């Protein structure tokens, strides 16, 4: 092993796994097992005490998931990662690791609809109060912070509004308040943006999207940036002896990955939102081509956005990759390789034309996932953001005519052909 | 000095570790680390005036009292308490001064280097051992290890 700093592409393929010492297997072995044999009673006790490193039970750790975790930590530039059963579970775990009843979260209001509900309903039910702020002015986060606030939360590129966060400005607000910034990096992936390098402290990803890349598995992951001083007095759960884990002090014992360890042994271990080893395997396979896929996703999306922008049946296109987007400058700064492949546009003729468009596509799939090799189309107002009232929908950037697409990896001309023919039909319906 | 190659070589070459500030309390990080290193074949020599014996090993009040050669002096004390420990480490001919997580003292480190010792700061012996010789990857820790060798 050498001290060479390997490139991102190399890490996509190699980080977290060297050939299996027992079998020589070059591919990532799938350890489809619930539990692991101990060497002796003493060894078992040491593992349970966290005195030794090793496997106990797949709810808590698994060697295949370990490869996925380490690879994600490497790609995001963090110290450690924790795989979880879904993106939603990753978000919830990232918060529960450092917040209890009485604490507050200040979050961007432009969020994936499910996340908005998780914060607005579930966190409030647990007595964790959430203040939603317009993320476009980083000062809004500062104004909402109280002495009970324990984290700031936002998406790199929000779902579905597509606004790009000024991560450095918000990270500065968090740092000055002595609280961590948690970023959902799902739409950018570490290939397009590495929030920790811009000052974020914790990154969560829904692995279901681009990381998987093929629409086969639900999963999530949180990454510990290793760059937050947990001993600043606000986080006794990180510095005081743990009740759930025989008096361990997580920050003192595990240093710059103490947050990830607490998330694992005090939240995942007892809440149980574990990821299946087989899904971890599929995610490691996805990561091996993340770089190549993202390049293609981005270039095709930009071409399609330009095509729609010039199309007579299209009212507006909202994509940070287009030069006239208010988020173009931020996008160039934080995602220089491309603005992703998920964006919205408004079809002329409102909700009816939108419905006809979605019913008329032949290649785009009508469903609610994003970040698949297949191109996807959805109508947020009637699906992902349905649980929100109209005012909340507006603040999340969803209007009745909004159509969201996730551009896949098919032949670009075929995708343009499909949208063109469906747009033509949508306008006939209107007339 | 703290390159991964250096740390890996230190842990491979040297097998006797005097642990300064080792606690007899089983859930303290120093106890964790020493117990782990002992289980992985290292000879642990506890150094703490408060105990007769820890982990079944005779405990010495100071480094100067240890009657046998010491390779690594592993320091579990606050940064400001480091300089006299480094002086003792130099005097007993130790090969490495290792300061644990959050323990750092650049002046003392410089003095040790000038005396021919190697220095590691702000690292945990147990975590570094887990990084290079197994196990810690099961906890999702980014080891920074990339290789096509078994
Ligand atoms: C930005 C974002 N975060 C989180 C999630 C939730 O992830 P999962 O569906 O894996 O729970 C989604 C899902 O659509 C998302 O788009």
């Amino acid at each position: 092993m050498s001290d060479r700093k390997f490139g991102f592409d190399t890490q996509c393929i190699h980080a977290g796994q060297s050939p299996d010492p027992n079998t020589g297997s070059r591919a990532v072995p799938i350890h489809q097992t619930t539990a692991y044999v101990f060497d002796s009673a003493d060894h078992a006790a040491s593992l349970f005490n966290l005195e030794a490193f090793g496997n106990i039970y797949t709810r808590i750790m698994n060697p295949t998931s370990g490869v996925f975790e380490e690879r994600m930590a490497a790609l995001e530039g963090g110290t450690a990662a924790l795989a979880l059963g879904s993106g939603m579970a990753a978000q919830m775990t990232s918060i529960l690791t450092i917040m209890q009843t009485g604490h507050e979260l200040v979050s961007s209001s432009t969020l994936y609809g499910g996340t908005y509900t998780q914060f607005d309903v579930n966190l409030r039910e647990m007595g964790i109060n959430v203040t939603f702020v317009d993320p476009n002015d980083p000062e809004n986060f500062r104004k909402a912070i109280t002495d009970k606030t324990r984290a700031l939360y936002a998406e790199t590129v929000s779902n579905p509004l597509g606004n790009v966060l000024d991560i450095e400005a918000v990270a500065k607000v968090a740092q000055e308040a002595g609280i961590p910034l948690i970023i959902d990096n799902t739409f950018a992936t570490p290939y397009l943006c590495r929030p920790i390098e811009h000052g974020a402290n914790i990154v969560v990803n829904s692995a279901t999207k681009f990381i998987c890349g093929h629409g086969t598995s639900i999963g999530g992951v949180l990454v510990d940036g290793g760059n937050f001083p947990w001993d600043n007095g606000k986080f006794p759960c990180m510095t005081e002896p743990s009740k759930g884990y025989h008096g361990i002090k997580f920050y003192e014992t595990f240093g710059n990955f103490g947050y990830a360890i607490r998330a694992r042994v005090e939240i995942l271990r007892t809440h149980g939102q574990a990821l299946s080893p087989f899904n971890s395997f599929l995610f490691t396979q996805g990561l091996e081509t993340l770089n190549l896929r993202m390049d293609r996703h981005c270039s095709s999306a930009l071409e399609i956005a330009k095509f729609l922008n010039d199309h007579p049946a299209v009212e507006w296109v909202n994509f940070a990759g287009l030069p006239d987007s208010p988020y173009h400058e931020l996008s160039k700064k934080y995602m220089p390789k491309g603005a992703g492949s998920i964006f919205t546009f408004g079809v002329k003729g409102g909700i009816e034309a939108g419905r006809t468009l979605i019913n008329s596509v032949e290649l785009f799939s009508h469903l609610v996932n994003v970040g698949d090799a297949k191109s996807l189309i959805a109508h947020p107002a009637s699906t992902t953001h349905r649980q929100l009232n109209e005012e909340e929908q507006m603040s999340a950037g969803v209007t009745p005519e909004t159509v969201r697409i996730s551009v896949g990896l098919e032949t670009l001309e075929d995708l343009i052909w499909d949208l063109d023919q469906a747009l033509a039909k949508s306008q006939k319906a209107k007339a | 000095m703290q390159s991964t190659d250096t740390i890996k070589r230190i842990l491979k070459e040297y097998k006797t570790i005097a642990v300064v500030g080792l606690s007899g309390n089983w859930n303290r990080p120093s106890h964790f680390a020493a117990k782990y290193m002992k289980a992985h074949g290292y000879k642990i020599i506890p150094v703490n005036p408060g105990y007769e014996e820890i982990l079944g090993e005779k405990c010495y009040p100071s480094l100067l009292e240890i009657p046998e050669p010491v390779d690594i002096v592993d320091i579990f004390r606050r940064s400001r308490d480091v300089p006299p420990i480094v002086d003792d480490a130099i005097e007993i001919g130790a090969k490495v001064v290792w300061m644990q997580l959050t323990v750092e003292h650049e002046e003392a480190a410089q003095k040790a280097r000038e005396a021919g010792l190697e220095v590691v700061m702000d690292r945990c012996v147990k975590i570094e051992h887990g990084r290079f010789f197994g196990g810690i990857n099961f906890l999702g820790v980014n080891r920074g290890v990339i290789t096509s060798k078994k």
Side-chain angles (χ1 to χ4, degrees), chain A residues 20-176:
Chain A
D20 185 63
N22 296 324
T23 61
S25 293
R26 180 59 275 205
V28 176
I30 303 169
H31 293 275
Q32 195 71 31
T33 182
T34 51
Y36 310 84
V37 175
F38 303 122
D39 299 344
S40 64
D42 226 26
H43 178 231
S46 298
L47 286 175
F48 274 97
N49 287 345
L50 293 178
E51 289 164 351
F53 301 117
N55 296 306
I56 301 173
Y57 190 61
T58 285
R59 172 157 32 78
I60 315 171
M61 74 282 279
N62 172 278
T64 308
S65 296
V67 175
F68 171 53
E69 291 165 338
E70 186 175 356
R71 191 166 292 177
M72 278 306 299
L75 295 177
E76 287 284 8
T79 51
L82 177 63
L84 292 141
S86 68
M88 295 293 278
Q91 296 156 200
M92 191 54 129
T93 306
S94 77
I95 290 163
L96 294 183
T97 301
I98 45 170
M99 279 191 232
Q100 295 87 39
T101 303
H103 288 154
E104 294 179 4
L105 175 71
V106 175
S107 173
S108 159
S109 62
T110 56
L111 293 170
Y112 162 58
T115 308
Y116 193 99
T117 305
Q118 182 182 70
F119 291 178
D120 196 37
V121 177
N122 300 74
L123 284 186
R124 280 191 217 288
E125 279 174 2
M126 295 176 185
I128 296 171
N129 200 36
V130 185
T131 311
F132 291 102
V133 298
D134 175 355
N136 290 322
D137 181 358
E139 284 305 303
N140 290 340
F141 286 91
R142 191 192 309 275
K143 287 179 203 145
I145 292 172
T146 73
D147 61 355
K148 299 198 189 84
T149 309
R150 287 297 177 274
L152 304 184
Y153 191 100
E155 295 174 356
T156 313
V157 184
S158 86
N159 177 1
L161 192 60
N163 52 313
V164 181
L165 188 75
D166 188 346
I167 300 174
E168 285 172 12
V170 180
K172 190 157 173 280
V173 171
Q175 195 184 8
E176 283 166 13

Side-chain angles (χ1 to χ4, degrees), chain A residues 85-89 91 111-112 115 153 155 157-159 184-187 205-209 217-220 368-370 384 404:
Chain A
S86 68
M88 295 293 278
Q91 296 156 200
L111 293 170
Y112 162 58
T115 308
Y153 191 100
E155 295 174 356
V157 184
S158 86
N159 177 1
D184 178 339
N185 199 33
T186 301
F187 274 27
N205 276 281
S206 165
T208 314
K209 319 298 181 195
S217 318
I218 300 285
V368 293
N369 193 24
V370 293
T384 48
R404 186 187 70 190

Side-chain angles (χ1 to χ4, degrees), chain B residues 63-64 73 75 81-94 97 107-109 111-112 115 117:
Chain B
L63 287 171
L64 302 179
V73 171
I75 306 177
D81 299 331
V82 164
I85 300 168
V86 166
D87 290 343
D88 289 357
I90 295 170
E91 189 167 335
I92 65 168
V97 168
E107 271 167 47
K111 195 168 174 186
L117 281 72

